[in-house]
Amino acid sequence: MAGNIELLSSVLAAARAENRAALVGYLPAGFPTVDDGVRAVTAMLDGGCDIVEVGLPHSDPVLDGPVIQTADDIALRGGIKIVDVIRTVKEAHEITGAPVLCMTYWNPVDAYGPERFAADLAAAGGAGCILPDLPVEESEAWRKAAEQHGLATVFVVAPSSRDERLAKITAAGSGFVYAASLMGVTGTRESVGNEAQDLVRRTRAVTELPVCVGLGVSNAAQAAEVAAFADGVIVGSAFVKRLLDAPDLEAGLAAVRALAGELAEGVRKRA
C-alpha cells in the first residue's frame, strides 16, 4: 500500500489556491494515553487543522522544549511503542481523511528498520515523516524506502543554514520544508521573529517545495503573522499545553479544538 504524499501535496496546494497558509498541528502519540491521543489529534483536525504531525515520543528530544518533553515523558511512562504511534497515524487518518505525518528522531526508526518503518507508516495511510536530526548525507536509505512507499521526507532548515546548505537539504526532501523560525527548542514565544521571514525567502529561492514555519507560534495573531509569508504554519507546544493545563480530558479536547479554530482563522487573515 502506498502512502499519502499526494494527499499532503494536494492539501497544501488547496490552501495556496485559497490564498492562505495551511495549518499544521502537532501532538505526540500516547499523550495522555494512546486512545486519548487519537482523540486529541482528531480534535485538532476537527477544529481546523489541515495537516497533523504525530510525534514519536523520545527520551532525549533535542529539538523540543519543556512542554513537549513533559508530554513525551507521560507517553513513555505509559509504555508507548512504535506500533502505537503507527496506530495513532492510522486511526487519525481513517477518521478524518486528512494527511498525517510522523515526526521522529532517527534512532527509533533506525532501530526498527527504515524499510519496515516506511512500509508500516504507508500501510497506516501516513503521508510522510519529519526527521529533524537525520543529516541529508546519511539519509539515502530512508529516502529510497520513503519514495518506494509513497511517503514524503521532510527535512528541517534553520536560520543558521547557509544558502548552499539550504539547496542541498531541499533537493533531498519532499512534501514540504520545515523551517524552524528561530534557533533553539520548541515552545510558545511572545514573538516569532524576523529570522523566520528571511529563512522562508532564502529557502524559496532554492526550491519549489512549500515552506512551513514552526517553533514559537501559539495564537491567532502569530499564525496570521507567519501566514503572511509562509505556505504553512506549524503549531505544537500550544496544543500540548492546552491538554496539560486542562482539568480533565474532555476539557482538554475542547481546548485543543478551540485553539485549532482560532489558529485556522489566523492563517486566513494573513497579517
Side-chain angles (χ1 to χ4, degrees), residues 183-194:
M183 300 303 293
V185 298
T186 59
T188 61
R189 289 175 170 80
E190 293 302 314
S191 64
V192 178
N194 295 327

Side-chain angles (χ1 to χ4, degrees), residues 7-165:
L7 174 64
L8 174 66
S9 297
S10 69
V11 167
L12 287 164
R16 176 178 286 186
E18 294 174 12
N19 192 33
R20 67 173 179 88
L23 176 59
V24 185
Y26 165 92
L27 280 173
F31 168 68
T33 67
V34 176
D35 288 343
D36 294 340
V38 172
R39 293 183 67 195
V41 171
T42 302
M44 281 197 299
L45 290 162
D46 288 344
C49 286
D50 300 290
I51 299 161
V52 292
E53 304 169 4
V54 171
L56 195 160
H58 196 273
S59 57
D60 185 26
V62 292
L63 184 69
D64 296 307
V67 171
I68 290 176
Q69 284 184 18
T70 298
D72 276 8
D73 185 56
I74 290 169
L76 290 167
R77 284 191 282 111
I80 187 78
K81 299 286 191 296
I82 287 181
V83 66
D84 300 313
V85 179
I86 300 292
R87 183 188 136 204
T88 301
V89 171
K90 183 176 190 292
E91 293 189 8
H93 172 64
E94 286 179 345
I95 292 167
T96 65
V100 183
L101 298 101
C102 178
M103 185 166 188
T104 177
Y105 297 96
W106 177 242
N107 276 354
V109 178
D110 192 33
Y112 192 81
E115 166 62 31
R116 179 184 171 205
F117 192 92
D120 288 356
L121 183 60
C129 211
I130 303 164
L131 298 154
D133 67 339
L134 177 63
V136 170
E137 292 81 2
E138 299 171 21
S139 68
E140 186 178 0
W142 164 259
R143 287 188 288 117
K144 281 184 175 178
E147 185 176 0
Q148 179 185 346
H149 290 286
L151 297 171
T153 296
V154 179
F155 287 111
V156 178
V157 298
S160 59
S161 302
R162 296 181 181 275
D163 291 350
E164 58 269 26
R165 184 67 181 164

Side-chain angles (χ1 to χ4, degrees), residues 208-257:
E208 295 296 316
L209 289 172
V211 183
C212 301
V213 172
L215 273 65
V217 177
S218 61
N219 58 48
Q222 290 174 336
E225 176 190 348
V226 174
F229 59 80
D231 298 297
V233 179
I234 303 170
V235 181
S237 294
F239 282 116
V240 174
K241 196 169 188 307
R242 292 286 177 107
L243 280 173
L244 286 172
D245 291 348
D248 56 56
L249 177 65
E250 294 305 324
L253 295 175
V256 163
R257 196 175 290 109

